[in-house]
Amino acid sequence: MMMNEVAQTESAAAGGRRIGDVILDLQNISLSFGGVKALTNISFNVREHEIRAIIGPNGAGKSSMLNVINGVYHPQEGRIVFHGEERKEMEPYMAASQNIARTFQNIALFKGMSVLDNIMTGRHMKMNCGLLSHVLYWGKAQREEIEHRKKVEEVIDFLEIQSIRKTPVGRLPYGLQKRVELARALAAEPSLLLLDEPMAGMNVEEKQDMCRFILDVNDQFGTTIVLIEHDMGVVMDISDRVVVLDYGKKIGDGTPDEVKSNPEVIAAYLGTAH
Amino acid sequence: MLYREAGQFKASYQEDAQIFPIRQDRIGFFALMAVVFLVVPFAASEYWLQAILIPVLIFSLAALGLNILTGYAGQLSLGSAAFMAVGAFATYNFMLRIDGIPFLVAMLLGGLCAAGVGILFGLPSLRIKGFYLAVATLAAQFFIVWALVKFPWFSNYSSSGVISAQTVNIFGYAFVTPQAKYLLTLAIVTVLALAAKNMVRSTTGRKWMAVRDMDVAAEVIGIRLMRTKLQAFAVSSFYCGVAGALYAYTYLGTVEPEGFNLDLSFKILFMIIIGGVGSILGSFLGSAFIVLLPIFLNVVLHSAVGAALPAGFGSSLELMIFGALIIFFLIVEPHGMARLWQIGKEKLRLWPFPH
Ligand SMILES: Nc1ncnc2c1ncn2[C@@H]1O[C@H](COP(=O)(O)OP(=O)(O)O)[C@@H](O)[C@H]1O
Ligand SMILES: [Mg+2]
């Protein structure tokens, strides 16, 4: 166990990644839908540059947690402090301007558009031209389009999807769609990236690729990542700290090793589902 | 020359993002432009220009307007004809009440009025979707036609709301012959079609499509749903409004509010279903198809069976064929004739090798 920890810090240091201060602090979050309590009094924090996993059985409230973080759901109780400021109101579109990007558990790509257009859309916050300059598609609008296309091509190279850039996303196999969704999120150059089961339904090889991409994003761009994942092997391998939810309650929080040896977690999650 | 992409390498993203990235398409487009601008006005008869080509162009513009809203931004509307009416009547009033206003300015203002009304009637789209939104746009359809009849000011107190379009003068030239009207219509429609193409290939269009395809994801990446939907309503209604102005000024000459009824809205909807939802080319194909089908049927029926058919047979047959085609396209090829054209081109790209 000691060995393991040492190795982990070493590899982190080698990549130039240094885990920083708390950037997102969730305090006593409760969320319910009608009578259904999705989250009950949950507190945890996320540190800059870390990979923070959320695990738990189906229906535990993991996706709801991400939806709270990026403003899709509004918790009835609790405080959220992001970059030192308490959040007063939050709507989904605000997440993007706070540099929060995400992928969805059920792929939420723009089905009628090509891979390239999907990823370009992910960059729209960084593009300033308005309707009238688009009508002309000349000068500034065209320059902007090309400049951002270059950025998007970097993402495409990074995720190794060059050969499908012109393909309508609806025609792609599931695994690639997940990758394109990650590409769309990365195109926004987020500082906080929320990934909802990015490897669900993938085969071993695809999972390995996805793991590599997530680690590379974290390592090369310093992006903070909150990750929901079912595959315990993967979670224990790549995350710095893990939160465990069960029936909307937090039952564990700590390093992978701490969580692994937590008896409540073993009973609720590891024991039953796997 | 074969239709091939081979050997055409894109050296820059600019080249890759052209409207027609394949050289043969580019050549084809310019050839088509040369023909419609330089040959057709002189080769086509007055009947063809006035009764076929001008309406095809005008309906293409209206269909393009609806396609922006429905095909690109995913908001269903049954109010296209009403927005055309706003364009026509607003242009008429600008021409009437502002001395010496140039036609093109009046037309643009007319389009802007339609855009404003479009935004107003687009407001329900913030709350409702699909079928229910379509029903809400029906309100626009009925309300606008009703208002134009109810308040005679709009038609300058003419009987039953009929307006007669003033002569179009641009830089001292009066557009009275079918040739001149055709060229004017063609020029306006071409410019607006290129503008639409530019919009849909830039961030504006991508936002529309994002809202159409997955609104939650669109919002999470920072797209303001309300703004984007209302913008689509505005642009769409602007296009319909200009189409309405042309409908009055270069096609019919006199129009009345009842002429912009629900039938016309449906006709425009059918144009995009048959032509291709979410396709600029499809707007033109659908319009041409729907304008030409009755004429074609008429000719075929007459040469086949002479004058022996009962009156009304042709129009019933027309309705049946429309019905069948709409069902066919809805079920088999929701992207319409434009998609068939694209499939044809993809096949041709590989021809004569099957794979
Ligand atoms: N939009 C919603 N409306 C009603 N109930 C919801 C909604 N979203 C989530 N829930 C409920 O909240 C609970 C947690 O769901 P979820 O966050 O999706 O769990 P997980 O992602 O851990 O599988 C479930 O009981 C689910 O039914
Ligand atoms: Mg979930």
Side-chain angles (χ1 to χ4, degrees):
Chain A
M1 209 145 120
M2 275 302 283
M3 288 297 287
N4 211 339
E5 259 181 61
V6 172
Q8 217 171 14
T9 19
E10 253 175 18
S11 74
R17 186 172 69 100
R18 169 142 296 138
I19 291 176
D21 297 334
V22 170
I23 54 165
L24 174 67
D25 195 16
L26 299 136
Q27 301 168 5
N28 311 100
I29 300 291
S30 291
L31 171 76
S32 55
F33 301 97
V36 182
K37 289 210 112 187
L39 300 170
T40 312
N41 197 23
I42 294 194
S43 304
F44 69 93
N45 61 32
V46 179
R47 292 177 171 277
E48 192 164 20
H49 306 311
E50 78 173 334
I51 298 182
R52 186 72 149 126
I54 304 178
I55 63 171
N58 267 327
K62 306 182 296 295
S63 297
S64 301
M65 202 64 240
L66 289 197
N67 282 324
V68 165
I69 294 176
N70 73 353
V72 177
Y73 292 165
H74 301 132
Q76 282 83 8
E77 279 168 56
R79 267 164 44 99
I80 301 175
V81 180
F82 186 54
H83 283 298
E85 261 179 63
E86 183 175 351
R87 232 183 227 173
K88 290 286 179 269
E89 55 155 0
M90 180 72 176
E91 293 299 331
Y93 69 80
M94 296 174 183
S97 49
Q98 297 173 1
N99 275 327
I100 304 176
R102 78 172 282 184
T103 66
F104 293 81
Q105 181 171 358
N106 306 309
I107 298 169
L109 283 170
F110 307 128
K111 285 267 169 359
M113 298 160 74
S114 67
V115 168
L116 184 60
D117 279 339
N118 266 277
I119 306 173
M120 283 294 279
T121 313
R123 257 197 103 66
H124 83 98
M125 289 295 286
K126 299 217 168 349
M127 301 172 77
N128 304 316
C129 284
L131 177 68
L132 289 181
S133 30
H134 290 152
V135 164
L136 298 176
Y137 205 87
W138 195 264
K140 187 162 176 282
Q142 193 176 25
R143 277 199 305 276
E144 187 182 67
E145 181 87 7
I146 289 163
E147 177 196 321
H148 288 274
R149 170 75 187 271
K150 281 184 197 139
K151 269 287 179 197
V152 163
E153 288 292 335
E154 284 173 26
V155 175
I156 288 176
D157 288 344
F158 182 82
L159 293 180
E160 299 159 15
I161 46 179
Q162 297 92 340
S163 60
I164 54 164
R165 59 160 85 73
K166 292 289 171 75
T167 313
V169 290
R171 285 195 211 162
L172 296 175
Y174 183 82
L176 274 180
Q177 290 197 19
K178 283 252 171 200
R179 206 187 286 189
V180 174
E181 213 189 357
L182 176 61
R184 183 180 68 188
L186 288 182
E189 299 178 58
S191 59
L192 175 60
L193 179 61
L194 315 175
L195 302 174
D196 198 342
E197 305 200 15
M199 289 165 244
M202 286 188 169
N203 63 34
V204 176
E205 204 179 319
E206 289 171 326
K207 271 188 192 176
Q208 276 170 356
D209 282 340
M210 188 53 93
C211 270
R212 180 163 55 86
F213 292 135
I214 292 171
L215 287 170
D216 283 352
V217 168
N218 179 248
D219 192 45
Q220 290 183 24
F221 312 131
T223 313
T224 310
I225 295 174
V226 178
L227 166 83
I228 296 176
E229 186 45 54
H230 269 303
D231 188 319
M232 292 306 285
V234 167
V235 169
M236 297 305 164
D237 268 358
I238 71 173
S239 49
D240 297 302
R241 290 191 299 157
V242 184
V243 174
V244 191
L245 302 184
D246 190 24
Y247 292 111
K249 298 204 175 75
K250 184 170 101 170
I251 57 168
D253 189 353
T255 64
D257 289 326
E258 285 164 5
V259 163
K260 248 191 287 192
S261 51
N262 178 332
E264 211 177 338
V265 175
I266 295 169
Y269 191 81
L270 305 171
T272 53
H274 291 261
Chain B
M1 188 171 62
L2 286 174
Y3 186 66
R4 284 286 187 279
E5 214 179 329
Q8 302 179 26
F9 298 106
K10 310 290 185 299
S12 69
Y13 296 135
Q14 183 170 350
E15 279 178 37
D16 195 40
Q18 294 175 94
I19 295 182
F20 300 106
I22 298 179
R23 191 192 305 126
Q24 285 86 338
D25 282 339
R26 228 149 41 229
I27 295 171
F29 175 74
F30 287 119
L32 177 70
M33 284 298 111
V35 169
V36 293
F37 273 99
L38 303 174
V39 180
V40 169
F42 306 102
S45 69
E46 297 210 334
Y47 168 76
W48 263 84
L49 290 171
Q50 189 65 51
I52 298 172
L53 295 175
I54 290 178
V56 165
L57 286 168
I58 293 172
F59 286 128
S60 299
L61 190 59
L64 187 50
L66 180 60
N67 230 332
I68 285 171
L69 184 63
T70 303
Y72 286 96
Q75 311 299 305
L76 206 51
S77 163
L78 288 175
S80 322
F83 299 128
M84 285 178 74
V86 173
F89 279 78
T91 305
Y92 171 77
N93 278 288
F94 284 118
M95 292 283 279
L96 181 74
R97 294 167 206 282
I98 302 178
D99 240 5
I101 189 174
F103 171 73
L104 291 178
V105 173
M107 184 192 78
L108 280 179
L109 290 174
L112 290 177
C113 286
V117 175
I119 290 177
L120 202 64
F121 284 96
L123 287 172
S125 70
L126 310 180
R127 281 290 158 124
I128 51 181
K129 293 185 195 178
F131 174 72
Y132 296 96
L133 178 61
V135 173
T137 59
L138 265 184
Q141 175 63 52
F142 290 118
F143 176 80
I144 288 168
V145 171
W146 171 83
L148 290 174
V149 176
K150 172 78 184 169
F151 303 102
W153 183 86
F154 289 122
S155 50
N156 201 24
Y157 303 96
S158 77
S159 62
S160 68
V162 178
I163 56 169
S164 294
Q166 302 89 338
T167 305
V168 175
N169 266 298
I170 296 176
F171 296 123
Y173 180 81
F175 287 75
V176 283
T177 63
Q179 278 87 355
K181 287 180 178 173
Y182 164 79
L183 279 172
L184 177 64
T185 312
L186 179 65
I188 292 169
V189 172
T190 306
V191 167
L192 287 178
L194 288 174
K197 184 70 201 178
N198 285 342
M199 281 185 266
V200 301
R201 68 188 173 129
S202 52
T203 310
T204 295
R206 287 193 292 263
K207 284 189 196 171
W208 290 340
M209 292 186 271
V211 169
R212 169 195 71 189
D213 286 345
M214 188 62 75
D215 52 4
V216 181
E219 208 175 7
V220 165
I221 62 174
I223 295 174
R224 309 288 292 265
L225 295 186
M226 177 172 85
R227 217 179 270 177
T228 309
K229 285 179 184 177
L230 292 183
Q231 184 194 51
F233 265 96
V235 174
S236 160
S237 308
F238 176 84
Y239 274 68
C240 288
V242 171
L246 293 174
Y247 192 70
Y249 280 80
T250 66
Y251 178 39
L252 292 180
T254 56
V255 292
E256 54 176 338
E258 301 291 350
F260 298 98
N261 56 14
L262 185 59
D263 274 6
L264 184 59
S265 284
F266 267 114
K267 201 163 162 183
I268 296 165
L269 180 62
F270 293 158
M271 284 175 187
I272 72 167
I273 292 172
I274 290 178
V277 174
S279 155
I280 288 174
L281 172 69
S283 314
F284 285 84
L285 295 177
S287 160
F289 186 86
I290 287 196
V291 173
L292 287 172
L293 181 69
I295 298 167
F296 173 77
L297 281 182
N298 214 348
V299 172
V300 170
L301 283 180
H302 271 276
S303 57
V305 285
L309 285 170
F313 181 80
S315 53
S316 327
L317 190 65
E318 191 190 311
L319 282 178
M320 281 157 55
I321 292 181
F322 273 157
L325 275 171
I326 284 158
I327 292 170
F328 168 81
F329 277 114
L330 282 177
I331 295 173
V332 180
E333 188 47 80
H335 295 288
M337 291 163 76
R339 178 80 188 123
L340 297 179
W341 166 253
Q342 201 187 346
I343 293 172
K345 283 208 305 188
E346 273 171 24
K347 290 239 164 77
L348 192 60
R349 228 149 108 180
L350 304 172
W351 182 88
F353 312 103
H355 295 293

